[in-house]
Amino acid sequence: MAAITSNLDLTNLPVDNPIDTNTLPLLTPNVHQIDNNTVSQHELQLSDFEVNWEARLTNTQLDQLVNDGWIIIDEVFENKALLALQAESGFIDYREAQLTAGVRISKIRGDKIRWITKDFFAGFYYLKSINELASVLNRALFAGIRHSEAHYACYPVGFGYQWHSDNPANRDERVISAVFYLNDEWTATDGGALEVIDNHGKSHNVMPVANRLVIFDSDLQHQVQIAHRQRYSIATWMRRDGLIPFVETAN
């Protein structure tokens, strides 16, 4: 069975203060508070992102993932972790997303992104938790996942992402895709739903409400409908291919 590794450990992006157990970068200051205490590096820790994935993934959900190709898990993290991810997503220097061929076509996709590397404090902990989820999927479904990757995504008003698969051009490196949502008080009139076609050809609309994780087969066709309010999320992929060091370059 494949062992889960992390691209975070091989990031070649220069970092002035890389993360280790003794030196954690400061969480970007923000206005969110918990019990009148601002979320900070000193308060946030890996345990805040711990999820008992084996308990959260029931046999019924695993069967649904296999048979239908997708599931939803709500209220994934504790409030402190959610607020940290929301804060970090709001202060990122986002960059223009591109298609597989490296071309920016806003009529197809309009999101701006930033890959999660070791210099993103909350994102680092998020991806560690996703790797634990991948280990559970390997044990339960023999998924063959070897590592995970993720990026923050911001959809400005008036933009979405047209129909696509996360394994384009007959590629198969991505096994499971997941999207974690960050917007509070999202309503149907805000648009931006994830529309996914399941294994039976049926269409489903999923509202991007905060602390929701949608997990689906990377081969499924899906789209992000036009957002009428700025929309934040974390796009995530669990992959079967060999680990390749991720290098991020500035625009």
Side-chain angles (χ1 to χ4, degrees), residues 56 153 204 211:
R56 297 301 302 274
H204 305 268
N211 216 7

Side-chain angles (χ1 to χ4, degrees), residues 15-20 22-28 40-42 44 88 117-122 124-125:
V15 179
D16 292 334
N17 298 298
I19 289 178
D20 59 35
N22 298 314
T23 306
L24 296 174
L26 290 173
L27 182 65
T28 306
S40 70
Q41 169 192 350
H42 302 292
L44 194 67
E88 195 164 75
T117 58
K118 288 184 73 173
D119 56 336
F120 289 106
F121 184 64
F124 173 86
Y125 283 170

Side-chain angles (χ1 to χ4, degrees), residues 108 161-165 195-197 203 221-224:
I108 297 177
Y161 194 160
Q162 291 185 11
W163 288 107
H164 65 284
S165 161
E195 187 174 358
V196 58
I197 305 296
S203 175
Q221 290 289 316
H222 57 284
Q223 70 169 344
V224 176

Side-chain angles (χ1 to χ4, degrees), residues 57 65 69-71 73 133 137 176-178 213-217:
L57 286 170
L65 182 58
W70 73 290
I71 58 174
I73 301 177
L133 169 60
L137 293 174
I176 299 292
S177 299
L213 185 71
V214 182
I215 304 169
F216 57 96
D217 187 320

